Amino acid sequence: MTVSTDLPQILVIDDEVGPRESLRMLLKPDYQVHTADCVEAGMKLLKEKQPDTIVMDIRMPGITGIDGLRKIREIDPHLSVIMLTGFGALETAKEALRLGANDYISKPFDAGEMRDIIGRNVERTRLHRTSEHAAAEVKELNNRLRKELARKERLASLGQASAEFVHDLGNPLTIVWGYVQLLAKKLERSENGGATHNATSIKELNIIEQNVRLCRELLTMWQSYGSAEALPHKQISVSTVLREVIKAVDALATQSGVDLQSNICEHACTVLGDPVQIKRAIQNVIINAVQACAERKGSVLVTCTQKEFYVDIRIEDDGSGITPTQISRIFDPYFTTKQGKSGTGLGLYITQKVLEDHNGSIKVDSTPGRRTTFTIRLPLVNS
Ligand SMILES: Nc1ncnc2c1ncn2[C@@H]1O[C@H](COP(=O)(O)OP(=O)(O)OP(=O)(O)O)[C@@H](O)[C@H]1O
Ligand SMILES: [Mg+2]
């Protein structure tokens, strides 16, 4: 509920024009006054204007003030309501108080007394709304804190588990890397010696070697994660990184029947950063795009454009698209729609974090069932 800081609002409900208009004249200098000549019209104004106090006649033809009071209490139990009673109608006034009116004043009323009563009641409503507002804010803050804490706890336990995992994975990876290099050298030698060989095997081995190296670099980075000193950023070419990523993802695209096309800027598009991090950030988005259109054998287009101060990388696919509800969650850790298909839901979370660390950004635009475009923006290095 919003608390207005403008003039307080008073709603006057009275079927007689005389008291209605005299109240309007009396209150106009200090309040915004709305008037209604019956309960129905009053209820409409109550919903529209959210007044701070209602002044209502008890005796009205049709729906009486007492019935009106019941209706008001159903809508807003805490809004101040002052009843206007006929002279000497003490019993009706008491009934109104019993039914939840906050005050009453007899007609004909004294102007000073009316101003006092209205002043007190406006303050009463406003105080109540402010405390309600503060309570709602505290509740909302509490909820956000609780969610944040739960997320942090999950991440902390994952951190613990992955530290062990990283340690165990490091050794076999090193061995594989060594053997891959050995094999590549043997193949090269046999080619030079004129032996028949398969040229594509060398290319494929190179890609394996490159990616195993990437795994090793990722592991080193994980192991230094949390240490006080972050690695210093260096100048890297986004165009080069992009070409490497596309080469690496190409096998996955071919295997999935997805047409992966690219149009990469011929400039270097130099940014300051950590090449391993940038690579994994971009790779996550391209792999997602390939996965999103694997089922319908669609296509993915990756473009890279250099502007005056930044470079934009667009990853467009004509895959499944993302619904608005999902879009609000895709950057949350562990959000995935690929349960049971190896998705951890950490890809875009990591990408966003890396881009933030590099003063960059990521945006998404999607039509469910049709297409999705992710745009990654990174600031160019000052030349
Ligand atoms: N191009 C896309 N088209 C449709 N949905 C997408 C696309 N990119 C991301 N998503 C949605 O965002 C979710 C989160 O993506 P994210 O990369 O964080 O995790 P994941 O791909 O599910 O798992 P992981 O990356 O760990 O393998 C995906 O599960 C998918 O629902
Ligand atoms: Mg992913």
Side-chain angles (χ1 to χ4, degrees), residues 284 288 291 338 347-348:
N284 286 342
N288 279 348
Q291 289 170 338
K338 300 169 195 165
L348 288 179

Side-chain angles (χ1 to χ4, degrees), residues 3 10 41 74 88 100 110 118 162 180 188-189 214 236 274 283 301 304 310 325 327 340 346:
V3 179
I10 309 294
E74 275 168 23
D110 171 76
I118 289 191
S162 56
V180 168
E188 237 170 81
R189 254 186 255 128
L214 177 66
I236 48 172
D274 180 334
Q283 188 159 301
L301 173 64
C304 164
Y310 53 83
T325 331
I327 277 206
L346 282 173

Side-chain angles (χ1 to χ4, degrees), residues 142-169:
N142 225 338
N143 273 345
R144 269 169 44 196
L145 268 174
R146 219 175 307 128
K147 273 193 201 148
E148 185 65 11
L149 210 68
R151 210 185 68 156
K152 288 256 157 69
E153 273 169 10
R154 268 186 96 181
L155 282 177
S157 58
L158 181 87
Q160 180 59 37
S162 56
E164 290 168 26
F165 156 79
V166 162
H167 177 260
D168 293 342
L169 198 69

Side-chain angles (χ1 to χ4, degrees), residues 284-293 300 315-323 326-327 329-339 341-351 364 366 371-374:
N284 286 342
V285 184
I286 300 181
I287 289 179
N288 279 348
V290 169
Q291 289 170 338
C293 46
V300 175
I315 298 109
E316 301 173 56
D317 70 71
D318 58 3
S320 55
I322 316 172
T323 65
Q326 287 170 348
I327 277 206
R329 302 189 53 204
I330 54 172
F331 295 105
D332 290 351
Y334 306 109
F335 175 78
T336 181
T337 53
K338 300 169 195 165
Q339 285 98 345
K341 286 191 236 159
S342 84
T344 64
L346 282 173
L348 288 179
Y349 168 73
I350 291 171
T351 297
V364 57
S366 185
R371 46 164 284 279
T372 303
T373 304
F374 278 88

Side-chain angles (χ1 to χ4, degrees), residues 34-230:
H34 309 286
T35 58
D37 61 1
C38 64
V39 169
E40 283 105 326
M43 290 306 107
K44 203 162 159 258
L45 279 172
L46 164 62
K47 285 177 193 154
E48 274 171 30
K49 308 287 182 192
Q50 291 203 334
D52 298 281
T53 290
I54 295 183
V55 183
M56 181 165 56
D57 192 15
I58 284 196
R59 282 165 64 103
M60 282 187 281
I63 304 175
T64 66
I66 294 287
D67 291 333
L69 181 61
R70 285 200 188 94
K71 284 182 189 292
I72 293 169
R73 285 291 168 253
E74 275 168 23
I75 298 170
D76 188 340
H78 304 295
L79 167 64
S80 292
V81 182
I82 303 165
M83 304 304 289
L84 284 172
T85 63
F87 183 70
L90 202 59
E91 280 313 308
T92 353
K94 273 193 192 155
E95 195 195 347
L97 290 179
R98 195 174 50 77
L99 286 171
N102 300 87
D103 237 318
Y104 71 92
I105 188 163
S106 325
K107 282 196 219 174
F109 49 80
D110 171 76
E113 193 187 351
M114 179 59 94
R115 269 202 223 97
D116 284 352
I117 290 187
I118 289 191
R120 276 204 311 271
N121 278 282
V122 163
E123 201 177 335
R124 208 188 131 273
T125 304
R126 291 204 148 191
L127 266 175
H128 193 92
R129 284 187 184 158
T130 314
S131 63
E132 218 174 41
H133 188 67
E137 251 170 33
V138 169
K139 197 170 156 205
E140 144 91 12
L141 253 174
N142 225 338
N143 273 345
R144 269 169 44 196
L145 268 174
R146 219 175 307 128
K147 273 193 201 148
E148 185 65 11
L149 210 68
R151 210 185 68 156
K152 288 256 157 69
E153 273 169 10
R154 268 186 96 181
L155 282 177
S157 58
L158 181 87
Q160 180 59 37
S162 56
E164 290 168 26
F165 156 79
V166 162
H167 177 260
D168 293 342
L169 198 69
N171 292 344
L173 257 180
T174 313
I175 297 167
V176 170
W177 192 44
Y179 275 101
V180 168
Q181 279 181 308
L182 202 73
L183 254 174
K185 281 218 177 79
K186 271 191 188 167
L187 266 172
E188 237 170 81
R189 254 186 255 128
S190 61
E191 184 191 11
N192 294 340
T196 45
H197 78 287
N198 188 349
T200 54
S201 308
I202 298 182
K203 263 200 219 147
E204 284 160 2
L205 268 173
N206 279 339
I207 294 174
I208 296 174
E209 189 196 322
Q210 257 182 32
N211 280 278
V212 177
R213 189 181 320 126
L214 177 66
C215 288
R216 277 164 48 96
E217 284 164 351
L218 279 172
L219 287 184
T220 314
M221 196 175 67
W222 264 98
Q223 276 158 336
S224 64
Y225 194 76
S227 71
E229 299 231 341

